[in-house]
Amino acid sequence: MGFLSDALSRIKPSATIVITQKARDLKAQGRDVISLSVGEPDFDTPDNIKEAAIAAIRRGETKYTPVSGIVPLREAISRKFKRENGLDYKPSQTIVSTGGKQVIYNALLATLNPGDEVIIPAPYWVSYPEMVGLCGGKPVFVDCTMEHNFKLQPEPLERAITPRTKWIILNSPSNPTGAAYTRAEMKAITDVLMRHPHVWVLTDDMYEHLTYGDFEFVTPAQVEPNLYERTLTMNGVSKAYAMTGWRIGYAAGPDHLIKAMDFVQGQQTSGAASISQWAAVEALDGPQDHLKVFRKAFEERRDLVVSMLNQSKYLKCPMPEGAFYVYPSCAEAIGRTAPSGKVLKTDEDFVSELLEAEGVAAVHGSAFGLGPNFRISYATSNAALEDACNRIQRFCGSLR
């Protein structure tokens, strides 16, 4: 009998973490490395949120919290969903977890039985299929090609649904592509789901506030109210409020699902960190002025990166609607030879050689389930992005 669980054989390490660590290691060795692999805003947490956390410490808010979150935060979450999404949730229908990842994992652990299927549009965030596998479920991938701007189409979704389908995970704006669904595009998806009442919807709306131009964010239960009773709407403060290290995710859904997730979380971590929760109350209820600043900066960076990548030999980069990622195709580079003499056979070869030759860390698209592409995070300074894109252009120009 082996010591380690068989469950470990069903999952892979996070490619984004692996690449980011490799970039750190190279920097530690003295290499000049620009890391575009991590999905983390480079902005600092707004001061009003920091001050709310300091005030909570001074009030002595340092004890264990209820498993599902402090009441003021659950009330703030209810107000947020009503104010921004037109969704009515009682505070008792909400839950607070240690990051959005725990929300998703709790929902899957509370609902999946062996063999239950979860539809995951590809490209996908690297953790979705691994969490499904850990919980005993079966991920079912539906390719969303660059031809359709990496967005799920109704017909392949319909074909993917079986009697064993329990969930679909919808992420808009998307990590890794930045693609976001318009109201009409989301309605086409929800129309399919209305024909299959046994399928639940798990949304990942973490990048809700990071959309550009005139794009209007929508979430499934907002577009199709009849899905309300079988939708878990997940969000968090990490991206829009630059609070990645505070580790607060939240969700709202039907009472019986929230109670089941509370039951699971009660035997895992119990309540999230008390100080982080009080900071999140201020994030949701306090001034939102910083969002305009964030969006303006990210939109400028997006435009810079897309323009420069499309000036690179062998690359094609679509213009995403949101988040802070681009997902260029490197298909024309496959089969060519890098300066090291290595023939590029895959997108993983492409990003590996790019890191070795030019010190630019990106993540290969195959890690997200669809290639040959690679993901760049533009959550860093314009100067660093321009430098990195110049290096990418030089690398692509050196391929033979």
Side-chain angles (χ1 to χ4, degrees), residues 6-35:
D6 291 343
L8 295 181
S9 67
R10 300 197 295 266
I11 63 171
K12 302 187 295 290
S14 167
T16 54
I17 293 174
V18 170
I19 296 290
T20 300
Q21 187 56 50
K22 185 174 181 181
R24 288 194 191 107
D25 293 342
L26 288 172
K27 278 187 176 181
Q29 296 167 19
R31 286 284 305 276
D32 177 17
V33 174
I34 303 174
S35 181

Side-chain angles (χ1 to χ4, degrees), residues 21-318:
Q21 187 56 50
K22 185 174 181 181
R24 288 194 191 107
D25 293 342
L26 288 172
K27 278 187 176 181
Q29 296 167 19
R31 286 284 305 276
D32 177 17
V33 174
I34 303 174
S35 181
L36 305 180
S37 58
V38 65
E40 182 171 44
D42 60 323
F43 299 107
D44 199 8
T45 304
D47 286 341
N48 63 301
I49 298 172
K50 293 181 189 176
E51 292 302 320
I54 293 168
I57 293 171
R58 289 177 174 153
R59 287 197 311 270
E61 305 281 7
T62 56
K63 307 299 185 183
Y64 289 134
T65 68
V67 172
S68 290
I70 59 174
V71 170
L73 180 51
R74 298 177 81 184
E75 291 174 342
I77 291 165
S78 294
R79 289 190 291 271
K80 175 264 183 277
F81 279 126
K82 179 64 176 177
R83 178 179 70 245
E84 297 181 351
N85 309 111
L87 294 172
D88 288 309
Y89 289 110
K90 302 187 298 290
S92 62
Q93 290 180 275
T94 69
I95 188 168
V96 180
S97 298
T98 307
K101 186 178 286 189
Q102 188 182 22
V103 173
I104 299 169
Y105 187 79
N106 286 350
L108 297 174
L109 190 60
T111 59
L112 290 182
N113 292 308
D116 284 348
E117 297 174 354
V118 178
I119 293 175
I120 302 175
Y124 47 74
W125 181 42
V126 293
S127 292
Y128 295 149
E130 311 312 323
M131 287 191 281
V132 170
L134 273 174
C135 294
K138 176 185 176 184
V140 175
F141 304 113
V142 181
D143 286 350
C144 306
T145 63
M146 195 159 73
E147 177 188 1
H148 293 113
N149 296 314
F150 303 116
K151 298 178 191 179
L152 181 63
Q153 300 301 298
E155 296 80 8
L157 169 59
E158 188 103 51
R159 290 194 298 269
I161 295 173
T162 76
R164 297 303 304 269
T165 306
K166 184 159 280 186
W167 288 98
I168 178 173
I169 299 178
L170 290 174
N171 176 209
S172 173
S174 160
N175 176 4
T177 67
Y181 292 83
T182 65
R183 181 174 291 270
E185 290 166 339
M186 187 66 79
K187 185 63 166 62
I189 298 301
T190 60
D191 284 350
V192 173
L193 297 173
M194 286 302 298
R195 296 195 285 273
H196 301 275
H198 67 292
V199 180
W200 281 62
V201 185
L202 201 168
T203 79
D204 181 346
D205 297 347
M206 194 63 72
Y207 297 90
E208 169 185 3
H209 290 109
L210 301 180
T211 61
Y212 310 117
D214 297 326
F215 188 88
E216 177 196 359
F217 171 85
V218 291
T219 195
Q222 175 186 13
V223 171
E224 180 47 79
N226 289 315
L227 286 175
Y228 177 91
E229 290 296 336
R230 52 188 174 107
T231 298
L232 181 69
T233 303
M234 189 278 283
N235 211 312
V237 296
S238 293
K239 312 301 183 180
Y241 300 92
M243 294 176 67
T244 51
W246 299 76
R247 307 311 301 134
I248 294 292
Y250 60 83
D255 286 293
H256 66 287
L257 174 59
I258 297 299
K259 288 177 181 176
M261 292 169 63
D262 174 273
F263 181 70
V264 167
Q265 187 164 303
Q267 296 297 353
Q268 285 181 334
T269 58
S270 294
S274 59
I275 305 308
S276 295
Q277 291 194 55
W278 283 105
V281 173
E282 175 64 18
L284 296 181
D285 278 349
Q288 306 292 303
D289 300 345
H290 73 281
L291 291 175
K292 292 180 181 178
V293 177
F294 283 18
R295 279 194 292 261
K296 183 175 186 296
F298 281 134
E299 186 169 10
E300 288 177 357
R301 296 171 181 183
R302 177 199 65 169
D303 294 348
L304 169 68
V305 171
V306 170
S307 173
M308 291 190 71
L309 291 179
N310 279 325
Q311 294 171 47
S312 301
K313 291 181 70 175
Y314 313 128
L315 300 184
K316 293 180 180 177
C317 186

